[in-house]
Amino acid sequence: MSFTLTIIKPDAVKKNYTGKIIDDILQAGFAIRAMKQLRLTTEQARAFYEVHKERPFYDDLVAFMTSGPVVAAVLEKDNAVEDFRKLIGATNPAEAAEGTIRKKYAESIQNNAVHGSDSPENAVREAGFFFSYLEWS
Ligand code: CMP
């Protein structure tokens, strides 16, 4: 079994989509290894998205990700990273396939409802960012 890290972002939590999104994730065959709701500090959001720090949208992204609570979860499934990215759809909801989580629940390319790790290596880093090894192993 492999795993991925998801974040239900402040836009979706604010609109009470948390339950619907978790249901979609479970119906798609993922198991939840660990899950928590928290509000990121600016420092934490900057660190999580450090890879994007040179991008023009970085400051706005950090402001958005700290604007309210998020739900972080470690999800388990065969081929978890790739299958989860299919389930959530393209970064820009306008380009996301019908039936995907972003198509159904996202507002914009920034306020795009959910995050999914983009590689197994990043899934390890991101799971370690939100959870201690004891919580998700
Ligand atoms: P995520 O998959 O969490 O990874 C980086 C995030 O940056 C992305 O989702 C969006 O929330 C945001 N993002 C990516 N591209 C853009 C963009 N062109 N403009 C604004 N925000 C973006």
Side-chain angles (χ1 to χ4, degrees):
M1 277 293 179
S2 63
F3 67 92
T4 191
L5 184 283
T6 188
I7 306 171
I8 303 176
K9 298 187 183 186
D11 58 324
V13 174
K14 221 165 268 172
K15 288 175 159 172
N16 291 327
Y17 288 151
T18 301
K20 287 183 165 55
I21 291 172
I22 290 170
D23 192 46
D24 283 2
I25 291 170
L26 294 173
Q27 293 304 323
F30 291 84
I32 297 172
R33 271 202 199 177
M35 181 161 66
K36 65 171 83 165
Q37 180 166 309
L38 71 155
R39 187 162 180 170
L40 290 168
T41 65
T42 297
E43 197 175 63
Q44 288 166 340
R46 289 179 70 86
F48 185 81
Y49 283 116
E50 200 185 0
V51 60
H52 296 305
K53 70 174 183 244
E54 306 302 336
R55 309 286 282 273
F57 58 79
Y58 180 66
D59 288 346
D60 286 345
L61 175 61
V62 168
F64 163 60
M65 289 301 292
T66 57
S67 66
V70 299
V71 175
V74 179
L75 306 174
E76 183 177 273
K77 188 183 180 297
D78 278 340
N79 205 29
V81 166
E82 205 179 308
D83 286 1
F84 192 69
R85 289 177 74 80
K86 272 189 212 139
L87 178 67
I88 65 180
T91 303
N92 184 350
E95 290 163 13
E98 219 45 63
T100 59
I101 289 176
R102 283 174 172 155
K103 182 72 175 184
K104 290 198 278 187
Y105 306 118
E107 293 172 349
S108 66
I109 191 165
Q110 176 186 266
N111 300 11
N112 64 356
V114 282
H115 168 82
S117 307
D118 64 6
S119 67
E121 296 71 33
N122 278 337
V124 173
R125 180 187 85 84
E126 294 174 0
F129 186 93
F130 283 99
F131 299 94
S132 77
Y133 188 66
L134 280 178
E135 288 174 296
W136 63 269
S137 61

